[in-house]
Amino acid sequence: MNTPAAAEESERLRVAVVQLCSGRDVDQNLQTVERLVAEAAARGAALVALPENFAFLGPSGELAAIAEALGAGSTPGPLMSALSALARRHRLHLLLGGLPTPSGEDAARVHNSAVLLDPTGVVAAVYHKLHLFDVAIAGGPNLRESAHVAPGREVVTAPLGGTRIGLSICYDLRFPELYRALTEQGAEVLCIPAAFTEHTGKDHWLPLLRARAIENQAFVLAPAQFGHHGGERVSYGKSCIVDPWGAVIAQVSDGAGIAVSELDLSYLRRVRRQLPCLEHRRL
């Protein structure tokens, strides 16, 4: 039988978002990840979310060389073995915000995959990035993600404690229909790990995160890359957690670090009940 204390605990989820400045050295990146996940665990986080490209941020042509298979029957590679052990060590859910996995379609193109590990280190959900970042911005970056990454095809949510989380990656943030689909599948927490460019991030990152939270009346977890990664690649940072009213309730300033907050799911459900805009949709 659920006690009042147990019911209250199930209505709350302590989470952390991690901010990194990853580069080409996978081992060095993992050392930073291990340190920050340990810090988040010490602060009571039950879910820790890593940013996109947390293990490697370098030339896209090198992604296939470090891609690791996740399917049933596949042997975990060194990257997944280390991260599964990390989730087990700290007994928490660990969201790998974006790492290369074989697409199975084209040997030259991988999937950019968000992977949720449960506290036993087992893969609980996998999402392949749907929207690929092919842009040429005057005064900004010229990037073509689709040259080395194949798009996914499915919207993915996963149960976590007393709630359901929706998975996405970076450029997906600009497509509100994806988040509406996640919400329709029951998501109350929207995860948006990213390596948002400095050029676009300074104007668009926080407004878009707050919009996705407000219009879906959901919590948003947004772990991000920051700083110079070599060459012309610079990420904006400002990793944060946003509540269903659109308020930023925790944020990382410049540098590698974490932001931790307790998500009050009863507050989310009260917002949806008192302002039932999700029930008022006509289209």
Side-chain angles (χ1 to χ4, degrees):
M1 182 174 67
N2 287 334
T3 65
E8 181 178 352
E9 183 177 351
S10 69
E11 291 285 291
R12 295 179 179 273
L13 177 67
R14 195 161 181 82
V15 303
V17 294
V18 174
Q19 181 161 287
L20 299 170
C21 183
S22 299
R24 297 175 69 174
D25 188 329
V26 175
D27 290 337
Q28 183 174 322
N29 295 336
L30 285 182
Q31 287 177 14
T32 306
V33 165
E34 290 176 358
R35 174 175 62 83
L36 292 175
V37 170
E39 181 182 342
R43 294 176 61 181
L47 168 63
V48 179
L50 305 179
E52 183 184 27
N53 302 328
F54 66 91
F56 174 85
L57 209 166
S60 297
E62 298 178 14
L63 290 172
I66 64 168
E68 293 184 5
L70 300 174
S74 60
T75 301
L79 182 58
M80 287 303 302
S81 294
L83 292 161
S84 293
L86 187 62
R88 285 196 303 273
R89 184 183 317 142
H90 296 293
R91 298 186 297 277
L92 48 73
H93 283 85
L94 184 60
L95 177 64
L96 315 179
L99 74 163
T101 62
S103 67
E105 302 170 1
D106 181 344
R109 295 203 301 166
V110 298
H111 283 312
N112 185 350
S113 304
V115 181
L116 179 66
L117 300 176
D118 74 13
T120 69
V122 172
V123 174
V126 179
Y127 164 75
H128 303 311
K129 187 177 182 181
L130 285 169
H131 303 98
L132 303 183
F133 193 54
D134 290 356
V135 300
I137 300 173
N142 294 310
L143 299 170
R144 187 170 177 80
E145 188 176 17
S146 65
H148 300 283
V149 177
R153 294 191 176 92
E154 296 182 355
V155 174
V156 177
T157 64
L160 199 159
T163 188
R164 179 167 286 272
I165 68 172
L167 303 183
S168 67
I169 300 175
C170 200
Y171 190 50
D172 285 331
L173 177 58
R174 295 184 180 276
F175 301 88
E177 62 272 20
L178 170 60
Y179 299 93
R180 184 49 49 86
L182 291 168
T183 302
E184 288 176 343
Q185 290 190 11
E188 296 179 318
V189 180
L190 304 173
C191 298
I192 311 175
F196 232 70
T197 68
E198 183 180 54
H199 187 80
T200 57
K202 60 185 175 62
D203 295 317
H204 297 167
W205 173 242
L206 287 174
L208 286 170
L209 292 175
R210 296 185 66 210
R212 298 296 86 86
I214 293 166
E215 67 199 7
N216 293 292
Q217 299 178 312
F219 286 102
V220 166
L221 309 186
Q225 295 281 350
F226 84 97
H228 293 261
H229 307 284
E232 298 180 354
R233 188 71 182 266
V234 185
S235 295
Y236 178 64
K238 300 295 186 291
S239 303
C240 64
I241 301 169
V242 186
D243 79 5
W245 200 253
V248 175
I249 56 177
Q251 187 175 64
V252 185
S253 60
D254 291 338
I258 63 172
V260 180
S261 184
E262 188 168 75
L263 309 187
D264 184 349
L265 300 171
S266 65
Y267 168 69
L268 176 148
R269 291 157 191 164
R270 186 163 66 251
V271 167
R272 289 185 175 184
R273 184 171 61 252
Q274 293 178 352
L275 181 61
C277 60
L278 294 173
E279 299 175 14
H280 294 162
R281 289 176 294 141
R282 299 292 296 275
L283 299 178

